[in-house]
Amino acid sequence: MPYQSPISPGRSWYEDTVDERPSYARLDGDKSCDVAIIGGGFTGLSAAAHLAASGTNVVLIEAHRFGDGASGRNGGQMNTGQRAWPEEMEAEYGFTRASALFDLAEEAKAHLLDFAKVHHIDIDYAPGQMSVAHKKRYVDNYRAHAEIMANRFGYPHISFMGADETAERLGSQRFFGGVRDTGTGHIHPLKLLIGTARVAAEAGAHLYENTPATGIASNGGKVSITTDHGTITADKCLIATNAHGGNLEPESAAHIMPIGSFIGATVPLGDDSPVLPGGESVDDSRFVVRYFRKSKDGRLLFGGREIYAVTDPGDIHIHIRKQIAEIYPALKDVEITHGWGGYVGITMPRQPFVREVMPNVISAGGYSGHGVMLSNFVGKLYAETVTGNRERLKLFEDLKIPAFPGGRRLRAPLLFLALNWYALRDSI
């Protein structure tokens, strides 16, 4: 019987397009190491790979299997820059910091592609990304954005698209304009995750699956992580659980909120399909964003149903097909072969939460839908801090990330109300 993740509903198209996912043993007994990592997604595995390559003794534990969380089930879009546009970051932090954060994100993009190339990880990379306006009044913002990116931030790869070009490149009349970015693209995230775990293991990192952390403490210059089958004692620790931190540590829990996001995969549309003839990925201007792209074998991979309540929708296929039909009416009856979901971590300002939450313990997460590129690189930056250079990670640590209001009891209902209000506004 096919494996079903205990923390994420549905079976993904990604799972069915990789060879058998490698499995790693459960931790059994006590361990001592230089660095302990909690969480086996992009951040944790990237940190483990870079640390082990530098000769650091690393132990990483994952509560379930590598790829069960968002890192193995996301939309695969790399994007450019931070989640907020550079001009928005400039308005909050000033040009110098906004430019530094943009440059760091550009380095993150290059690092991801270089890492995959150097380590022979076939990630199905395809170039091109489009961001499109679902309301006419947003079009001028996209036009200005393209000019700002070229003239103020030195990024020449974004061009403005009017309504006609947008319709031609998408194969849909639903949008009013947007921008096309030829300096980024999209990937098969589970292939990258599996490959990163392989690289980490080959470099000497000790990787354990099905090993949830049950507690963490920092005393006397040492960090202690308890599990059901052993205790890890380390000099330093990285918490990289993102949406799945639970009650492990209160600071991260107060700043990172899990929300559900769901994707459907159609049957292959065929070479004559007008849908996305250039093969770019797409995101739209909704607050509750819709994102889609074509796979290597010509399927439409469509994500668009975020939820903020506790329960998952009963039938992912029905909801996703309805949203596909809004953009591509000819696909209203298209067969959807896969429907899956998972939880991503968001923060109030939709920027990453990176913070030293107790002595020698850094937590990183809350990439807010922008994690394919950033989370891998934050793992690398954490490895840099262990070897003595914390300056680049500090760019993320110094971001203004407030806690969610309402505490643990009220924050989920309050967020549900707020974000459903935004979803209603998207439709007006």
Side-chain angles (χ1 to χ4, degrees), residues 257 308 404-418:
M257 170 75 76
Y308 308 98
F404 282 93
R408 292 197 58 82
R409 186 171 65 88
L410 293 177
R411 66 178 192 152
L414 288 173
L415 185 69
F416 175 80
L417 291 173

Side-chain angles (χ1 to χ4, degrees), residues 97-424:
R97 283 189 68 190
S99 183
L101 285 162
F102 177 76
D103 291 344
L104 203 66
E106 277 299 283
E107 187 181 346
K109 187 192 299 178
H111 165 264
L112 188 156
L113 297 176
D114 289 345
F115 183 88
K117 182 177 180 180
V118 167
H119 296 289
H120 308 290
I121 307 171
D122 179 11
I123 58 175
D124 292 355
Y125 176 73
Q129 164 81 21
M130 294 185 286
S131 296
V132 294
H134 81 291
K135 292 183 179 180
K136 195 171 185 177
R137 66 176 182 264
Y138 296 158
V139 171
D140 287 346
N141 294 337
Y142 283 91
R143 190 193 311 272
H145 175 61
E147 294 176 0
I148 290 168
M149 291 300 292
N151 298 328
R152 187 151 180 79
F153 290 91
Y155 187 79
H157 307 295
I158 289 181
S159 58
F160 174 73
M161 304 184 299
D164 290 345
E165 182 181 355
T166 300
E168 182 179 354
R169 291 193 181 279
L170 266 70
S172 169
Q173 302 287 332
R174 176 64 184 82
F175 300 97
F176 296 94
V179 294
R180 179 171 177 251
D181 185 350
T182 59
T184 190
H186 50 99
I187 68 167
H188 190 303
L190 187 56
K191 287 185 177 180
L192 176 61
L193 186 88
I194 291 170
T196 305
R198 170 182 59 80
V199 172
E202 289 175 352
H206 305 280
L207 308 181
Y208 299 97
E209 293 181 323
N210 297 306
T211 306
T214 56
I216 181 170
S218 180
N219 294 297
K222 291 288 184 179
V223 182
S224 177
I225 299 104
T226 55
T227 77
D228 288 337
H229 298 279
T231 297
I232 305 166
T233 303
D235 296 326
K236 298 179 182 296
C237 175
L238 171 64
I239 299 175
T241 51
N242 202 20
H244 298 280
N247 294 315
L248 180 64
E249 183 277 310
E251 278 295 300
S252 303
H255 290 82
I256 300 173
M257 170 75 76
I259 64 169
S261 187
F262 299 87
I263 303 176
T266 71
V267 294
L269 300 181
D271 294 338
D272 59 346
S273 171
V275 174
L276 299 174
E280 299 96 341
S281 56
V282 183
D283 65 74
D284 73 6
S285 57
R286 295 172 181 269
F287 187 88
V288 184
V289 67
R290 296 182 184 178
Y291 53 96
F292 48 99
R293 64 190 181 99
K294 280 166 74 172
S295 63
K296 191 175 182 179
D297 64 351
R299 300 169 188 268
L300 181 64
L301 307 184
F302 192 99
R305 180 174 167 77
E306 290 184 348
I307 63 164
Y308 308 98
V310 175
T311 57
D312 297 324
D315 190 338
I316 298 169
H317 293 227
I318 291 173
H319 299 293
I320 292 296
R321 185 184 289 107
K322 180 180 178 182
Q323 292 187 351
I324 290 174
E326 291 177 16
I327 298 172
Y328 296 108
L331 298 181
K332 64 183 178 64
D333 296 319
V334 70
E335 180 185 350
I336 295 180
T337 60
H338 297 75
W340 69 96
Y343 288 84
V344 300
I346 68 167
T347 63
M348 285 281 286
R350 300 294 181 101
Q351 296 164 11
F353 173 80
V354 181
R355 195 79 52 85
E356 185 166 7
V357 294
M358 59 182 74
N360 298 312
V361 179
I362 289 178
S363 177
Y367 302 104
S368 304
H370 208 69
V372 171
M373 184 176 68
L374 291 182
S375 59
N376 284 277
F377 199 61
V378 167
K380 179 182 186 298
L381 296 183
Y382 174 79
E384 287 183 8
T385 72
V386 173
T387 55
N389 176 18
R390 193 165 176 172
E391 290 307 306
R392 281 151 40 98
L393 188 67
K394 282 281 289 178
L395 283 169
F396 289 112
E397 290 184 78
D398 291 341
L399 291 173
K400 303 168 189 173
I401 312 296
F404 282 93
R408 292 197 58 82
R409 186 171 65 88
L410 293 177
R411 66 178 192 152
L414 288 173
L415 185 69
F416 175 80
L417 291 173
L419 294 181
N420 275 278
W421 180 83
Y422 277 111
L424 177 63

Side-chain angles (χ1 to χ4, degrees), residues 82-100:
Q82 306 293 326
R83 170 69 185 262
W85 285 350
E87 56 265 40
E88 296 172 312
M89 299 294 285
E90 181 180 0
E92 184 171 6
Y93 294 104
F95 177 75
T96 299
R97 283 189 68 190
S99 183

